[in-house]
Amino acid sequence: MIVTLTPNPSLDRALEVDRLRVGEVNRAHGGHLHPGGKGINVSRVLVRHGVPTLAVLPTGGADGARLIEMLAEIDVPTLAVPLVDHTRSNLTLVEGTGVTTKINAPGPRLTPDEVDALLAALETQLATRPAALVCAGSLPLGAPETFFVQVAGLAARYSVPFVLDTSGVPLTRAVRQGGLTLVKPNDEELAELVGRELTTVGDVVDAAREVIAACTRAVLVSLGAHGALLVLADGVWWAGGPPLVPLSTVGAGDSTLAGFLVADGSPADRLRTAVAFGRAAVLLPGTAVPGPTDIDLDAVRVVENPDPRLALKEL
């Protein structure tokens, strides 16, 4: 069982347009509605690959109720914590070239009691000793910047491996506190975390090792179209594949993380699977997630100890 926590879930509405014309009337020729939120996306992928999971999330209002209904329709088990405020809706505009423009609403404001209720609900699941806890996405209004530090403390109390995919100050606070099993930033989030520009493989590896030095076991860095880097204390691996023409990049990083969790074997094998999942996701519309038949492991190349002098755009 892998438990996911999505503190600020959403209903994701995606509209397809030939080309986005800012300031003009744009007519969509297609659309999709999916359950949204990074942790939820991870659970959706896990379900499609037969891995037991439970999605913990706060919900409120009509959109919150619809979100739970949609997750039930695709067999994603949930533990919902009720809110007075309403679950948000996000909008993604997908152009024919694959370029995506995402507009994320701020989401509900949680009261201190609702934050406590969310943590308490999570603790009931951690007490069952799941295989891992994945916390992913932004924090809702009202949640303290130390929220993921509190979650890390709960995971440590029950000896549950803790995987974190977030950004900004909440990521910085959690990394400084330590005790994380895996952190999955993209290169921009990692650059913000260490406070400097990252332009080469060596830059990314050095930054990831700073995170590891603060008591995180592994760092999985998404590089977008340029693949991903996995950094451990004793090794570095890069994986990527031939260029793709994406339908949508929304949720690709979440699929990458799910692929890493699904995989067995060596670090190289797990990274290959992670990148294959991410590549499969960008070939699907909206925030659809890949199933087993979408995964092409053979298209992914893995390099141990890639040249640190290489620019990221050269990968």
Side-chain angles (χ1 to χ4, degrees):
M1 170 69 73
I2 295 176
V3 174
T4 66
L5 173 64
T6 306
N8 199 9
S10 66
L11 279 182
D12 279 356
R13 292 175 165 86
L15 296 176
E16 298 172 354
V17 297
D18 291 328
R19 183 169 68 87
L20 179 61
R21 296 172 174 84
V22 178
E24 301 181 23
V25 174
N26 292 266
R27 299 191 184 280
H29 57 76
H32 309 274
L33 180 65
H34 293 289
K38 295 179 72 64
I40 287 173
N41 290 340
V42 171
S43 281
R44 290 169 60 205
V45 178
L46 294 176
V47 165
R48 291 213 62 188
H49 291 265
V51 178
T53 185
L54 175 74
V56 180
L57 64 157
T59 60
D63 279 354
R66 180 62 182 133
L67 175 60
I68 296 300
E69 290 174 359
M70 293 185 71
L71 289 170
E73 290 167 2
I74 55 176
D75 299 321
V76 176
T78 58
L79 175 58
V81 176
L83 302 178
V84 173
D85 208 347
H86 290 233
T87 297
R88 63 180 177 160
S89 289
N90 294 334
L91 177 63
T92 301
L93 301 175
V94 183
E95 299 181 58
T97 59
V99 174
T100 57
T101 301
K102 191 163 187 180
I103 303 170
N104 288 346
R109 178 177 291 277
L110 274 61
T111 67
D113 285 346
E114 289 170 339
V115 172
D116 290 343
L118 183 59
L119 290 170
L122 178 64
E123 185 171 6
T124 64
Q125 299 308 309
L126 294 176
T128 68
R129 302 298 202 280
L133 168 65
V134 178
C135 289
S138 62
L139 290 178
L141 300 173
E145 293 176 343
T146 57
F147 180 83
F148 292 123
V149 174
Q150 295 175 264
V151 172
L154 291 176
R157 180 182 304 172
Y158 296 100
S159 301
V160 176
F162 180 34
V163 178
L164 181 61
D165 182 3
T166 190
S167 60
V169 174
L171 174 61
T172 301
R173 291 289 187 91
V175 167
R176 287 178 179 172
Q177 184 69 24
L180 309 179
T181 303
L182 175 70
V183 175
K184 198 211 75 63
N186 60 34
D187 54 328
E188 293 179 355
E189 292 163 346
L190 183 59
E192 181 182 5
L193 176 62
V194 299
R196 62 180 182 273
E197 188 177 2
L198 308 176
T199 59
T200 68
V201 170
D203 291 341
V204 174
V205 172
D206 289 345
R209 285 190 166 140
E210 288 184 26
V211 175
I212 290 171
C215 296
T216 290
R217 293 184 189 175
V219 182
L220 175 61
V221 187
S222 297
L223 303 175
H226 305 294
L229 278 164
L230 174 64
V231 182
L232 306 177
D234 58 354
V236 178
W237 296 263
W238 169 84
L244 298 171
V245 178
L247 285 179
S248 173
T249 59
V250 178
D254 308 327
S255 291
T256 298
L257 177 55
F260 190 84
L261 297 171
V262 165
D264 292 318
S266 68
D269 290 337
R270 298 188 72 182
L271 181 60
R272 183 191 304 276
T273 303
V275 170
F277 273 55
R279 287 171 59 85
V282 303
L283 297 178
L284 299 172
T287 56
V289 299
T293 60
D294 299 313
I295 308 302
D296 184 2
L297 292 174
D298 293 336
V300 179
R301 182 170 60 97
V302 180
V303 176
E304 187 172 4
N305 296 321
D307 187 342
R309 298 167 297 180
L310 281 175
L312 297 181
K313 63 183 180 181
E314 295 177 316
L315 289 170

